Structure formats: C-alpha cells, structure tokens
Amino acid sequence: MKCSKCQNGNMKIKLGQYGLFAACDKFPNCRNPIKLNKFLYEALKKEGINIYGWDHTCWKCKKTTKVYTYFINKQLKPYMEEYIELGNLGLDSCIPIDEYLKANFSTINKNYSNTQHKYCTSNNCSHCNALIGNHFIVDDPHDIFNDWITSDLDKYIVGKIPFEKLNIQEEDLTGLEEYYIQIGKKKQKKQLLFF
Ligand SMILES: [Zn+2]
Ligand SMILES: [Zn+2]
C-alpha cells in the first residue's frame, strides 16, 4: 500500500515502543505513522478476506468433513517490515466476518462449546453435525500444520470475501488492534530478556 504522504514509500507494519503500528518504509525521510486499526481497515479493503478450507476427520463419526476459517494474520505478512509473529486471527475474532461465513456456509454456526464454556462461531461436521472446536481449526490447525508454519496457505484458499460485502467499520478492528498491541508488547519484553 502506497504512502499517502510521499506517494513513494510503502506502508508497513512495524513494532515500536508502544506495540504495533504502520508507517512509511521511507522513514526517516518520511514520517507518516498511522494507527494499526486504520491500516488493517485499508489493507482488508484492498485485499478482501481469504477463506481457507481443508479436509478434517470428524472426532465423532470419523468421516471427512470440510472446515473453514480465515487467517487475517497470514494476510498481513506481506505488509510487515520485519517478521513479527502474530497470533492467529480466525473464526470468532471479527464479528462481521463471522456473520458473513455463518450466512454463506451451512456448516458454520454459532455453537456452544463445552470446552470453552461459551458460544463461539465454529464448524460443524457435515455428516453428523458434531462441533469441530476452533482449537483444531484456528489455534492449532494440525491438518495443515506444515504449510501453516511456512505460511504457504494459498492452496487452501477456497474463496475471498469482498470487503464491500462486509459491514466492517474501522471501530470493528479496534479489538484486533488492541490484541496485536498486546502481542507487540509481549514480543518486546521477550527481546529485552535476550539482551
Ligand atoms: Zn512516505
Ligand atoms: Zn461427524
């Protein structure tokens, strides 16, 4: 994404003293820091949201069922100035995206999770309707683990949600921003421990 100030540099996600933010990569010649939620909004507006899907063996009926999620963190990787390990942002982390998936995929529903003790947006088995927990799909997607670790996930893209189909406001992304700022702070603390 081009810098709106100098029209020359590209906006990149950086890790600063106060966590993650976005700024022009021509710094220090150009200073144009913007808040992360504003940047996330612009990046998703430009790219849409990738939907990833793969085969998963149902824990209950043992049949193969397709599971779906999004990984906003993976989509942000090309925008990073240096590699920053971000937590996974998939199902149940952005309400407007969850709402879209629920409306368009019959096997994605708001389910009560007995392990998380709350309702969450997650996949159901297409054969027996058992809940496939988000832990196995978003946090630790072991079915695609090797590709997930190398970020080579393009082959799992089954579709893209055009941004205009979602009712997202910049404020909706504030929660994501706060989450990432926490990660940024944690990472900085870790770095300090190494020195
Ligand atoms: Zn610039
Ligand atoms: Zn099943």
Side-chain angles (χ1 to χ4, degrees):
M1 210 185 307
K2 281 276 175 232
C3 168
S4 60
K5 200 171 180 188
C6 67
Q7 316 285 344
N8 184 26
N10 287 300
M11 297 301 283
K12 293 278 174 185
I13 297 174
K14 300 173 185 226
L15 182 60
Q17 206 179 341
Y18 302 104
L20 297 171
F21 67 106
C24 179
D25 62 359
K26 296 283 185 243
F27 177 88
N29 294 325
C30 175
R31 285 167 199 262
N32 186 19
I34 62 167
K35 289 187 68 158
L36 194 66
N37 68 330
K38 206 175 168 61
F39 180 79
L40 287 175
Y41 185 85
E42 293 301 326
L44 294 178
K45 194 168 165 184
K46 187 173 162 239
E47 296 215 353
I49 289 97
N50 290 338
I51 306 170
Y52 302 89
W54 61 89
D55 290 335
H56 182 81
T57 305
C58 172
W59 58 273
K60 200 172 184 184
C61 71
K62 313 288 181 214
K63 288 183 185 158
T64 301
T65 183
K66 268 261 188 292
V67 289
Y68 305 95
T69 188
Y70 48 94
F71 285 120
I72 291 178
N73 50 304
K74 297 289 183 193
Q75 282 193 255
L76 291 177
K77 211 177 160 196
Y79 294 106
M80 295 199 188
E81 192 176 54
E82 46 155 348
Y83 180 70
I84 304 165
E85 180 64 49
L86 299 176
N88 278 337
L89 285 179
L91 277 182
D92 224 23
S93 53
C94 186
I95 291 167
I97 304 176
D98 293 337
E99 291 298 320
Y100 178 93
L101 291 174
K102 267 182 354 194
N104 288 277
F105 290 81
S106 61
T107 53
I108 296 182
N109 299 290
K110 194 109 181 166
N111 296 297
Y112 189 79
S113 159
N114 289 327
T115 47
Q116 292 190 62
H117 306 291
K118 59 170 188 171
Y119 280 91
C120 55
T121 304
S122 47
N123 290 267
N124 291 96
C125 171
S126 57
H127 308 284
C128 75
N129 208 36
L131 193 161
I132 316 286
N134 283 354
H135 174 66
F136 300 104
I137 307 306
V138 181
D139 305 328
D140 179 17
H142 50 245
D143 302 318
I144 57 165
F145 190 71
N146 287 340
D147 296 317
W148 176 75
I149 235 158
T150 55
S151 284
D152 188 15
L153 294 182
D154 286 3
K155 58 175 166 260
Y156 301 107
I157 296 175
V158 294
K160 191 181 266 292
I161 311 174
F163 191 77
E164 58 275 14
K165 295 261 180 199
L166 298 167
N167 190 17
I168 294 192
Q169 312 296 324
E170 263 173 45
E171 300 84 74
D172 290 318
L173 300 172
T174 308
L176 305 187
E177 179 190 45
E178 276 158 15
Y179 176 71
Y180 278 143
I181 285 173
Q182 288 310 317
I183 288 182
K185 280 187 188 151
K186 257 188 233 154
K187 186 179 161 183
Q188 269 176 330
K189 261 191 214 141
K190 236 189 247 167
Q191 278 175 333
L192 288 174
L193 288 176
F194 282 119
F195 288 124

